[in-house]
Amino acid sequence: MSDFNDFNNAQVAKLPNHLRQFIVAQNYEKYTPIDQAVWRYVMRQNYSYLKSVAYYPYIKGLQSAGLSIEYIPALQNMNDNLGKIGWGAVTVDGFIPPAAFMEYQAYRVLVIAADIRQINHIEYTPAPDIIHESAGHAPIIADTDYNNYLSYFGSIGAKAMFSAKDFELYEAIRKLSILKEAVNTDEIEIAKAEKMLRYINENMGEPSEMALLGRLHWWTVEYGLIGTLENPKIYGAGLLSSIGESASCMQKEVKKLWYNKYTVNYPYDITKTQPQLFVTETFQNLIDVLEEFADTMAFRRGGIESVMKAIACKNVATAVYSSGLQVSGIFTDVGIGKNDEVNSIKTTGPSALAYNGKQLDGHGKNYHADGFSSPVGKLKNDNKALENYDLTELDAIGITRGKNVELTFESGIKVIGTVKEILKRDEKLILISFTDCTVTEGNGNFLFKPEWGIYDMAIGEKIISVFNGAADKDLYEEITLISGVKAHQIVYDEKTLKLHNLYYLVRNIREKGEGFVQLTAIFEQLKTDFRQDWLCALEILEIIYQNKLFPKLEKEIQIYLEMKASREADHTKLINDGLHVIKNPVSQLIEEE
């Protein structure tokens, strides 16, 4: 990706290709004057609500992340500011796979959806948008304990095992969010997508590691509270970016429980307000709970249970031998010994071998295109693990280049062939390649025949770790390096462009503090041609009220908006909240902070 823009940010510059492929250009000029007004409205509402319930000084947090209440943030400005605290930011197109999202966090890079919610979804959007990601997540990043938790969570989450159902769920959520945010989507299509999502949700079966980690993420990063049960403060981005829920969550009907390892037993529903929330006393407690959960995961436990998780996921995973050799592919079978130990593993389809996250030369998925299988364990009647043999000891049992050798494992697997290659890394034997090789199980069943070519045998007494995805993602994954240009450029009709222009004129008047006489004509045009609009009228009222101008026009707009609020149920709360913030100016509240 030669034209990759790292914004002169060290964290963004470190991103590997398999993460860079999700990045799109922000295309700041695509934000319309209405988009800017939506940002300003939500941010002013947020601030009005959050000044007393947010954990940290909201404005200082915004400033440290390069954000303002007035404008949608530009990515370069955010990176300049986040870079000072060792973080970065990139824009992506909507939902990205959960494992990739986690990995960005591990690299200390915030993922921000480039789009902004439409005005008809101003209170809540089903799709990720720049308000949620930047106004919710970014302001608290300056807190060192919190940002350490976030990046540590990312490094754990990136290794979490999925179930095949998790992949289905991700696709269903992404599809529904795209349909809901698209202009003029057929309601039947949305209903069908909702039905499919419900069906998958209700038939998920036993939750996977990623599903359980998703719960911990939800109850902390998205919906977390900190402090005491009696007087908690909000730090979760889902609450901080939701105008309604940041206020309602503090009511007594929403139970407050201590955050601990048992929180993982509470599922969540993204379409409903939360019946309970969890309070942590400190951010260190979040790390402690995560650490305890990580100890139960396949990447730390290894063994038969972990390989079974890889088989259940039906997607690429990596098993790590005790020698350090990493086998990546879609796992389809495992040999189990009498004491429930792993005595062989098998992948089907493109597979690759790696060590320390770097693919071994000549052992990529094109070479192992049809899968990989190998014994696990010690040789029969041998106390020492084969991986710990030095060259002299190998020679003593006939493992020398060019020699024919017969090896029998404790499991009964027998390997007979001519040694072609012996591969060691860091004093450990990790791989032996054979020509003219026959591999059989104890019952005589053939696992490999000479005519199949070279047999590469992995070395290792145990499988010590299993994790999601390939060991060397950059070489294993099909990296498509998506174009930075957004696919769906919205073309606005003439009438909408006229409304954009009215919003632009109002912003100009407010910022320059001149041209107030134009406001009467702008309001007349809104009344005549744009009866559905409410936000531009609110912005005009704000200017008149704060500059103590045109009392007659002020009264007329006030009545116009109050009548709109009483007649249009969808706009009642939005208009009333907007009127409240006009009478209690945010600028004064900021000075008080």
Side-chain angles (χ1 to χ4, degrees), residues 292-328:
E292 203 167 344
F293 181 77
D295 283 341
T296 71
M297 291 171 64
F299 85 96
R300 285 197 182 165
R301 289 175 75 95
I304 191 69
E305 183 192 335
S306 302
V307 179
M308 294 301 280
K309 286 180 181 177
I311 293 170
C313 99
K314 297 180 182 167
N315 280 267
V316 176
T318 297
V320 185
Y321 278 77
S322 44
S323 63
L325 181 74
Q326 298 165 315
V327 179
S328 300

Side-chain angles (χ1 to χ4, degrees), residues 175-176 179 188-198:
K175 182 179 180 184
L176 179 61
L179 286 174
I188 296 169
E189 282 295 302
I190 290 177
K192 265 175 28 190
E194 283 176 334
K195 191 176 176 185
M196 177 54 77
L197 178 56
R198 259 197 314 277

Side-chain angles (χ1 to χ4, degrees), residues 435-494:
T435 56
D436 195 25
C437 188
T438 304
V439 184
T440 52
E441 287 182 300
N443 59 9
N445 182 32
F446 281 98
L447 296 176
F448 197 89
K449 294 181 178 179
E451 57 267 31
W452 296 354
I454 293 167
Y455 181 66
D456 297 294
M457 186 177 83
I459 307 294
E461 185 189 352
K462 293 178 176 140
I463 297 298
I464 57 165
S465 176
V466 177
F467 58 85
N468 163 62
D472 187 337
K473 291 186 177 69
D474 275 0
L475 285 183
Y476 188 92
E477 290 186 9
E478 297 295 333
I479 293 175
T480 49
L481 294 180
I482 299 157
S483 158
V485 181
K486 301 282 284 180
H488 52 281
Q489 294 293 334
I490 300 172
V491 179
Y492 296 102
D493 61 26
E494 203 176 323

